[in-house]
Amino acid sequence: MSIWFKNLTIYSLTPGWTMTAAEVEEKLARHPLLPVNAASMSSQGWVRPAPGATLVYAQGKQLLIALGTEQRLLPGSVINQTLKEKAAALEQQQGFAPGRKQLRDLKDQVIDELRPRAFVRSRTVRAWIDFEHGYLVVDTSSPKVAEDLGTVLRADLGDLPALPLDTREAPSAAMTAWLATGSAPPMFLVQDDCELLADNPTKAAVRYVRHSLDGPELKSLIGGGKVVTRVGLGWRERLSLVLTDKLAVKRLRFIDIAEDDAAAKKNDEEAFDVDFTLMTGELGLLIADLAAALGGLKPAN
C-alpha cells in the first residue's frame, strides 16, 4: 500500500480543535464499510488506511483515515432498454400504452430487478488530519469527493470545524503575476505547463503542455485579459505539482521516490511508518510554503 498522496484538497481546522487517535477510532468504528447489499445501490464507511492499522493510523498528532465506498453501476442505457422492452410487453397485454405513473412504477421495478446483478465499483479516499498544524488534507483534487468525505467525517465525529484553505492573495492572481513577470515565489520553480482562461463570458482557454512559458506569446495573452487557472511548479527540487485557481494541488510527485522502491515496500509496516513520517513532513512544509507564496493565510473570523 503506497502512502504517497497524488492530489491535495486542503482545509484549515479551527485553532485549538483536536481529538486523540483513540477518540477518532472509537467514533469511526461505529461506521465501518459494509458490503453493498442486494437492496441498495451504494455503501459507505471507514476502512483500514494502512497495513496493520485498524480504522486510524497515527503518529503523534498526525492521523491517517480512509473512507471506502462500494457503488453498484447501472448504466442508463441498460435501464432504458429493459424499460422499453417491458413497456412494449405491457402495452400488448393491456391493449394501450402505459401512462406516466405506470412507466415510473415499471422503471422502479426494472431497477430492483437489475440491481443485484449490477457491477460493484469500490473506491477508497484517504485523508490526513494534522492536529499539530491544524489541517485536514484529502487525497483528491475533486471538491465534491473532498466535501463528501468531510460530510461523513463530520457526522461520525459529531464535529469538524474545517474550512477550505484561504489565502490573502487569490491563487489565480498570484499565478498570473508569476508568469507575467517571469518570476516565481521562494522555494518554487515555474515549470512548462499552464492553462489560461479569458476573463469574460467566452471563457476561451489556452493550454501549454511541455512548452516554454517565458516567451512573448504568453505575456501577450495575459496582457489581453487572460488569467492563469493552473500552473506546473517544482518545489525545493523535491516535488513537482500542478497548482489550480481553487488552491487544489494535482499530479503531486515526489521526485526522489522511486516507483519500484515504493512497490517493493507496499506491505512492509515499518516502511509505511517511515514513509508516512517523510510524507507528512514534506507536505506540511509544502503547505506552509504555498501559503507564504500566496500572501499568507487569511485570519480566522
Side-chain angles (χ1 to χ4, degrees):
M1 178 187 291
S2 173
I3 181 56
W4 309 106
F5 278 28
K6 306 298 185 191
N7 305 280
L8 308 177
T9 296
I10 310 165
Y11 297 88
S12 293
L13 300 175
T14 296
W17 183 77
T18 187
M19 297 180 71
T20 66
E23 289 171 335
V24 176
E25 175 78 41
E26 178 186 1
K27 292 179 180 294
L28 299 194
R30 302 170 187 170
H31 185 194
L33 176 66
L34 300 176
V36 60
N37 60 46
S40 61
M41 290 297 294
S42 65
S43 177
Q44 198 170 51
W46 302 100
V47 298
R48 287 195 318 154
T54 49
L55 295 181
V56 175
Y57 172 88
Q59 282 188 11
K61 294 184 177 181
Q62 313 293 332
L63 276 56
L64 183 69
I65 58 176
L67 182 66
T69 301
E70 289 191 359
Q71 183 176 23
R72 292 188 180 275
L73 301 181
L74 271 181
S77 58
V78 174
I79 295 173
N80 292 335
Q81 178 60 37
T82 306
L83 177 61
K84 183 178 179 181
E85 293 169 359
K86 287 187 174 293
L90 181 59
E91 180 176 356
Q92 185 175 12
Q93 176 185 341
Q94 65 187 15
F96 56 89
R100 290 184 180 179
K101 184 178 184 307
Q102 282 184 303
L103 287 175
R104 286 197 301 270
D105 293 342
L106 201 57
K107 185 174 182 179
D108 290 341
Q109 178 186 333
V110 166
I111 293 174
D112 287 342
E113 291 176 357
L114 293 177
R115 184 186 298 115
R117 293 178 283 162
F119 176 74
V120 177
R121 179 179 64 185
S122 298
R123 183 180 69 183
T124 300
V125 180
R126 298 173 302 171
W128 160 41
I129 306 175
D130 179 358
F131 282 126
E132 183 176 356
H133 301 101
Y135 294 121
L136 167 66
V137 183
V138 186
D139 185 8
T140 182
S141 60
S142 165
K144 183 180 184 306
V145 172
E147 289 167 10
D148 182 45
L149 183 143
T151 298
V152 177
L153 184 59
R154 181 176 290 106
D156 290 341
L157 294 184
D159 189 20
L160 182 64
L163 292 172
L165 195 70
D166 196 9
T167 54
R168 294 180 184 274
E169 188 173 5
S172 184
M175 293 187 294
T176 301
W178 299 342
L179 296 191
T181 61
S183 62
M187 309 304 170
F188 290 93
L189 176 67
V190 174
Q191 298 181 329
D192 53 357
D193 187 354
C194 79
E195 183 177 85
L196 301 97
L197 194 67
D199 190 18
N200 58 47
T202 69
K203 298 300 181 184
V206 178
R207 178 125 188 240
Y208 286 81
V209 180
R210 293 187 294 277
H211 191 288
S212 173
L213 303 181
D214 57 3
E217 179 185 356
L218 186 140
K219 291 181 173 59
S220 176
L221 291 171
I222 293 174
K226 285 186 170 57
V227 296
V228 179
T229 55
R230 66 176 63 194
V231 69
L233 297 171
W235 175 75
R236 294 179 181 255
E237 299 184 350
R238 300 207 291 268
L239 299 178
S240 66
L241 58 105
V242 173
L243 178 65
T244 78
D245 57 342
K246 306 301 182 186
L247 200 47
V249 173
K250 297 184 175 184
R251 293 176 11 212
L252 184 64
R253 186 169 69 89
F254 290 75
I255 295 171
D256 58 350
I257 301 298
E259 291 295 328
D260 55 349
D261 184 49
K265 302 187 303 184
K266 68 179 181 179
N267 291 320
D268 188 329
E269 292 181 25
E270 291 185 4
F272 193 97
D273 293 342
V274 173
D275 287 351
F276 185 74
T277 300
L278 176 60
M279 186 192 77
T280 55
E282 293 287 88
L283 293 187
L285 189 54
L286 170 65
I287 293 170
D289 282 350
L290 273 176
L294 297 172
L297 298 179
K298 285 185 178 179
N301 294 329

